[in-house]
Amino acid sequence: MLSLRVGDAVGSCAVEPGEVGEDVVLDCVGEPVRKLLRHPLPAVRIAALDAHLQHLRPHHEHAEAVHLERGDSLRKSLHRSEHVVGLLPPGVRRVLVVGVVNSLLQRLRERGISYVACDRKGGRTEWDEPVITDAEGALADCEAVMASGMVLGSATFQTLLDHARRTGGPLVFFAQTGSGILPHFLGDGVTAVSAEPYPFFWLDGGPSVLYRYSEVAS
């Protein structure tokens, strides 16, 4: 995870191991935002924009704060997923989940909502279900989409946004990457965002907070 600070706001972008070297991080230190927004690496641009927008528009002034109880990573992840799934509109029966988080799938299963699991790494879910790698190919078979903020760094984000704008179907994001960016798309394709700024729930066992945005509340 690459994180950059602007004032008291920290913006983040998930990266693969080795994708961003120490030299890149050191080069960002002390640089103005306007320069970082033109950086050749998308991860740096996303983290910088995320921090800049959170600095201008703090989550706590515009969204519902949800406090996660202390506990181990699994307990906190399940608590977080309960609130993320709660952003789906009533009556949704089948969801495309882009960015597989098993605790999120568990909460969907508990609510009797079927899903298609999608992740660029493929593989199998905890319940030995196949994980597809092509999100676009599954859109027509699902009523709603729940996606990780990590798609901001790929063409998948625009694909999901275009589909939601065209069909009016629910598009919900759960975001550590780009938590300050995605709320700006509310009402323009995005219906809800679970925004989780740094420090993230898995960094310690103490209480933490996430922020929920929706079209109605915004």
Side-chain angles (χ1 to χ4, degrees):
M1 182 74 75
L2 171 67
S3 295
L4 299 173
R5 182 170 62 85
V6 175
D8 60 355
V10 177
S12 302
C13 181
V15 294
E16 294 296 326
E19 185 179 342
V20 176
E22 182 180 352
D23 56 331
V24 173
V25 177
L26 292 176
D27 285 345
C28 292
V29 176
E31 294 294 344
V33 172
R34 63 179 179 275
K35 181 176 180 180
L36 296 177
L37 293 177
R38 294 179 174 85
H39 197 280
L41 290 180
V44 173
R45 298 197 300 270
I46 290 171
L49 180 59
D50 188 21
H52 178 60
L53 292 177
Q54 287 187 59
H55 180 66
L56 294 177
R57 192 175 188 270
H59 289 307
H60 69 269
E61 295 181 1
H62 299 276
E64 172 199 4
V66 175
H67 296 274
L68 303 183
E69 301 170 356
R70 64 175 59 250
D72 59 24
S73 293
L74 176 58
R75 179 178 178 180
K76 293 183 73 176
S77 182
L78 285 167
H79 191 186
R80 181 188 72 149
S81 294
E82 179 181 345
H83 290 288
V84 173
V85 171
L87 290 169
L88 286 171
V92 169
R93 294 168 296 177
R94 188 167 176 82
V95 180
L96 172 62
V97 180
V98 184
V100 172
V101 178
N102 281 319
S103 60
L104 191 60
L105 302 184
Q106 179 172 329
R107 292 306 192 197
L108 291 171
R109 294 168 69 93
E110 289 171 356
R111 295 188 179 212
I113 301 173
S114 66
Y115 55 81
V116 176
C118 178
D119 197 289
R120 66 179 181 176
K121 295 180 181 179
R124 315 286 295 186
T125 71
E126 185 177 318
W127 299 271
D128 200 32
E129 301 153 328
V131 177
I132 66 170
T133 57
D134 175 25
E136 185 173 9
L139 285 169
D141 190 40
C142 297
E143 299 170 88
V145 178
M146 301 188 71
S148 165
M150 292 172 65
V151 302
L152 273 172
S154 70
T156 302
F157 173 67
Q158 194 63 53
T159 297
L160 300 180
L161 192 64
D162 289 344
H163 174 78
R165 287 169 171 171
R166 185 175 63 254
T167 65
L171 174 56
V172 176
F173 279 98
F174 50 100
Q176 293 177 343
T177 291
S179 75
I181 299 173
L182 290 165
H184 289 265
F185 290 89
L186 283 168
D188 188 22
V190 175
T191 52
V193 179
S194 170
E196 186 181 354
Y198 184 92
F200 310 121
F201 79 88
W202 41 265
L203 289 174
D204 67 62
S208 53
V209 64
L210 57 85
Y211 298 91
R212 302 203 316 172
Y213 292 82
S214 67
E215 282 185 305
V216 175
S218 64

